[in-house]
Amino acid sequence: MNTLLRGGIRRVDKNKKIDKEVQPFLDWSLVQAGAIKFIDSIEKQRLVYPQPNNVPYGISINSQEAKKTSIWLKAEKPWEAMRINGYLTVIYEDGIYRLWYESLGSDCRGDLDTRLCYAESPDGFSWKKPILNLVEYEGDKRTNIVFDKNSNGGFGYHGGTVFLDPVASPSERYKLIYLAKEGKKSQIRGAVSKDGLLWKPIPEEILDNYVSDTQTVAYYDKKINSYVGYFRSWIEGKIGIFFGGRRAIARAITKDFRKWPVPETVLSLGVNYPPSHDLYTNAHILYPERDDLHLFFPAQYNREKDSLEIYLATSRDGVKWEYFGNNPVVPLGEKGSSQEGAIYAGCGLVLLKGDNFALPCVAYPFTHNDYIPGAKDYAGGYFWATWKKDRLVAIEASEEGAFSLPVVAHRINKLYLNFTTKPAGMIGVQISEKGKAIPGYTFADCSPICGDELRYPVTWRGKEEISVTKGEHTVVQFKMRQAKLFALYIEKTPNDTTL
């Protein structure tokens, strides 16, 4: 998404308020639409010239390309001989990075012959595949396999995701959701575990007669006290005598993890995208430190090139999504990089040392259909796609631009910014209440803001505190030039009870 704002005429939503400390820019929700003023509200007379009131101009909102680390886990075990798959989950727990990943051995004859394996790391780069003695491969239990088609009585295993259930009993604290098959009928099945290693399959299917041949993702949503799952769906599957379709992302919610309704599509590529493109995976993740912000990192499938790259979608409720489809956030590598064919994102956005967001990904030199089973150097490798903290999306002004935040729902004590500017760039901040700039907190009073900072305190003539605000129609206004603004952090006034 690369939408340029040049102004507009819309009524300000007085009910839209900022009420969280961490506010990353992920869509236009934090930007007032503004309005044009024609009548002087005091004199009740028509103005000679219409006056813009908080109307933004000269800004765009853009996803940010990640940096790639070196490969930190490769296929090296016999049960990984064909490849390690793009379906993986990372959870940071008790100081350890825990990884569940899918492998394909030389005995793999199809998707449902894959295996769930386990590894762990103290730093996210040095990984150990422990010998767990739980699931055998070719008669030997000295493996790091934790689940396969024999673990559930022969129903198969594919595309699983592990998650921590905050409301489950200790014996079911970890849950697993995956694709299986009974006869010719596809199913979604589940398993539970006390430690994420020793799994107990749920005897019955949790969603019958449904195909989600991707990485199916689930989690427990505390805001709605329900389990939420994201699955594959197909749009335009059958139209009259024609049958075809494109992959899309569907969502379902349930109070009972053991019983799911049929998912409904929430994101697909419409007429603004080429008809040869669709969404292969979803890689749903909750935003760190925010249980009300949702992210997809889907692998967008380009059938013209038979390749896949990772894009970004954002949502504030998990149902309505903004898709940043102009540029991939994790693009393919150059020819010869072993990353030129396909890249997929797994699940889990974790913090690495140095305040970096890290997304686990897998890269292959081959494209979707041009795979040679067992070929040397075709087995893939895992790496991190990284961003500096809270820098997934930016409000950008290539030259002069301005915008205002929605009304702040409480008294502000301090304001911090996450930003970058070019050498000649700058950011200015002004605080207004009831449509008027507060003396001492105008753009002219704002100390220079430039450079590259993750959490920079805004000051006005050296003052950080904004104790003069009353929490009534408080609006923060920005002027920008050659700058990117990624996030802001609002510190409430101590003992404020306006929330």
Side-chain angles (χ1 to χ4, degrees), residues 6-211:
R6 301 185 186 279
I9 305 176
R10 288 177 60 186
R11 187 175 299 278
V12 176
D13 182 357
K14 297 291 186 181
N15 295 317
K16 185 181 287 296
K17 300 195 177 199
I18 296 174
D19 61 358
K20 302 287 185 182
E21 181 194 0
V22 181
Q23 290 289 348
F25 290 99
L26 298 177
D27 53 25
W28 286 126
S29 295
L30 296 181
V31 176
Q32 278 200 39
I36 299 296
K37 186 177 180 181
F38 290 89
I39 305 296
D40 188 304
S41 58
I42 297 176
E43 300 294 332
K44 307 300 182 183
Q45 295 180 352
R46 189 175 183 85
L47 296 168
V48 177
Y49 299 105
Q51 295 180 358
N53 181 27
N54 293 318
V55 176
Y57 66 88
I59 61 171
S60 61
I61 185 166
N62 305 293
S63 60
Q64 304 296 299
E65 185 175 319
K67 292 184 178 180
K68 300 176 185 176
T69 68
S70 57
I71 299 294
W72 41 258
L73 192 134
K74 292 183 178 181
E76 57 189 358
K77 301 294 185 181
W79 49 93
E80 303 167 347
M82 188 174 289
R83 72 174 183 266
I84 53 175
N85 219 359
Y87 305 149
L88 62 155
T89 307
V90 173
I91 296 175
Y92 183 71
E93 185 180 19
D94 298 329
I96 298 294
Y97 295 90
R98 306 186 70 189
L99 168 69
W100 291 264
Y101 66 100
E102 194 166 287
S103 75
L104 290 76
S106 57
D107 60 343
C108 181
R109 298 294 178 266
D111 284 349
L112 296 174
D113 291 335
T114 60
R115 297 172 170 87
L116 182 66
C117 302
Y118 176 78
E120 58 185 32
S121 169
D123 58 8
F125 291 96
S126 302
W127 290 86
K128 179 181 179 181
K129 300 176 182 179
I131 297 174
L132 299 172
N133 297 305
L134 295 174
V135 180
E136 67 177 39
Y137 178 77
E138 294 185 343
D140 190 347
K141 279 193 172 183
R142 292 175 296 176
T143 73
N144 67 328
I145 304 169
V146 296
F147 201 86
D148 68 2
K149 65 180 180 181
N150 297 314
S151 302
N152 62 11
F155 291 107
Y157 171 83
H158 179 65
T161 297
V162 174
F163 71 97
L164 287 168
D165 186 346
V167 298
S169 63
S171 63
E172 297 192 359
R173 182 166 175 259
Y174 295 82
K175 283 186 168 63
L176 171 66
I177 189 169
Y178 62 95
L179 177 69
K181 204 168 190 178
E182 184 176 16
K184 295 183 178 181
K185 184 172 58 174
S186 293
Q187 302 172 326
I188 303 299
R189 286 183 169 263
V192 296
S193 172
K194 64 179 180 179
D195 58 8
L197 302 177
L198 184 61
W199 291 93
K200 180 181 179 181
I202 295 173
E204 303 296 328
E205 70 279 0
I206 62 177
L207 174 57
D208 198 21
N209 199 26
Y210 192 88
V211 182

Side-chain angles (χ1 to χ4, degrees), residues 286-349:
L286 286 175
Y287 196 95
E289 301 179 21
R290 291 289 299 268
D291 60 3
D292 59 338
L293 299 179
H294 302 256
L295 307 172
F296 282 154
F297 289 95
Q300 182 173 308
Y301 183 25
N302 179 342
R303 302 188 194 211
E304 300 168 41
K305 300 179 180 179
D306 195 43
S307 62
L308 297 105
E309 297 177 288
I310 300 169
Y311 286 73
L312 173 67
T314 66
S315 174
R316 293 182 179 270
D317 60 7
V319 180
K320 299 185 291 288
W321 290 85
E322 297 287 346
Y323 188 67
F324 290 80
N326 277 10
N327 297 294
V329 294
V330 189
L332 294 172
E334 299 293 329
K335 187 175 181 180
S337 66
S338 295
Q339 298 185 2
E340 63 266 38
I343 294 181
Y344 304 82
C347 293
L349 190 65

Side-chain angles (χ1 to χ4, degrees), residues 163-420:
F163 71 97
L164 287 168
D165 186 346
V167 298
S169 63
S171 63
E172 297 192 359
R173 182 166 175 259
Y174 295 82
K175 283 186 168 63
L176 171 66
I177 189 169
Y178 62 95
L179 177 69
K181 204 168 190 178
E182 184 176 16
K184 295 183 178 181
K185 184 172 58 174
S186 293
Q187 302 172 326
I188 303 299
R189 286 183 169 263
V192 296
S193 172
K194 64 179 180 179
D195 58 8
L197 302 177
L198 184 61
W199 291 93
K200 180 181 179 181
I202 295 173
E204 303 296 328
E205 70 279 0
I206 62 177
L207 174 57
D208 198 21
N209 199 26
Y210 192 88
V211 182
S212 183
D213 52 339
T214 183
Q215 183 171 12
T216 301
V217 180
Y219 74 103
Y220 186 82
D221 193 318
K222 295 179 181 179
K223 292 179 67 66
I224 59 175
N225 298 318
S226 299
Y227 296 95
V228 180
Y230 291 95
F231 306 76
R232 171 173 288 172
S233 63
W234 291 81
I235 57 173
E236 305 144 2
K238 188 175 182 181
I239 305 176
I241 62 173
F242 303 103
F243 184 82
R246 295 171 178 83
R247 298 171 181 86
I249 299 172
R251 176 182 184 265
I253 62 174
T254 180
K255 296 289 185 181
D256 183 358
F257 180 73
R258 288 165 166 80
K259 186 178 294 185
W260 288 77
V262 175
E264 297 181 357
T265 298
V266 293
L267 182 63
S268 61
L269 297 184
V271 296
N272 292 324
Y273 299 92
S276 57
H277 290 207
D278 52 9
L279 301 176
Y280 203 87
T281 57
N282 67 77
H284 173 269
I285 300 164
L286 286 175
Y287 196 95
E289 301 179 21
R290 291 289 299 268
D291 60 3
D292 59 338
L293 299 179
H294 302 256
L295 307 172
F296 282 154
F297 289 95
Q300 182 173 308
Y301 183 25
N302 179 342
R303 302 188 194 211
E304 300 168 41
K305 300 179 180 179
D306 195 43
S307 62
L308 297 105
E309 297 177 288
I310 300 169
Y311 286 73
L312 173 67
T314 66
S315 174
R316 293 182 179 270
D317 60 7
V319 180
K320 299 185 291 288
W321 290 85
E322 297 287 346
Y323 188 67
F324 290 80
N326 277 10
N327 297 294
V329 294
V330 189
L332 294 172
E334 299 293 329
K335 187 175 181 180
S337 66
S338 295
Q339 298 185 2
E340 63 266 38
I343 294 181
Y344 304 82
C347 293
L349 190 65
V350 296
L351 267 178
L352 294 178
K353 186 177 180 181
D355 279 333
N356 288 315
F357 280 171
L359 177 73
C361 301
V362 66
Y364 302 106
F366 56 87
T367 61
H368 181 262
N369 293 317
D370 189 28
Y371 174 57
I372 304 174
K376 186 178 180 181
D377 297 328
Y378 263 46
Y382 296 151
F383 66 94
W384 296 113
T386 67
W387 298 261
K388 286 186 178 181
K389 189 177 180 183
D390 296 321
R391 291 189 175 183
L392 298 176
V393 177
I395 300 288
E396 299 186 31
S398 57
E399 292 301 331
E400 299 286 344
F403 73 96
S404 300
L405 298 179
V407 175
V408 180
H410 51 76
R411 295 177 64 187
I412 301 172
N413 186 41
K414 295 180 181 179
L415 179 66
Y416 303 86
L417 303 183
N418 186 332
F419 71 92
T420 63

Side-chain angles (χ1 to χ4, degrees), residues 473-492:
H473 307 291
T474 303
V475 174
V476 182
Q477 300 166 304
F478 291 87
K479 285 185 178 180
M480 303 169 63
R481 183 180 67 245
Q482 298 179 18
K484 293 183 179 183
L485 184 57
F486 305 98
L488 54 93
Y489 314 94
I490 295 176
E491 181 182 294
K492 292 194 302 177

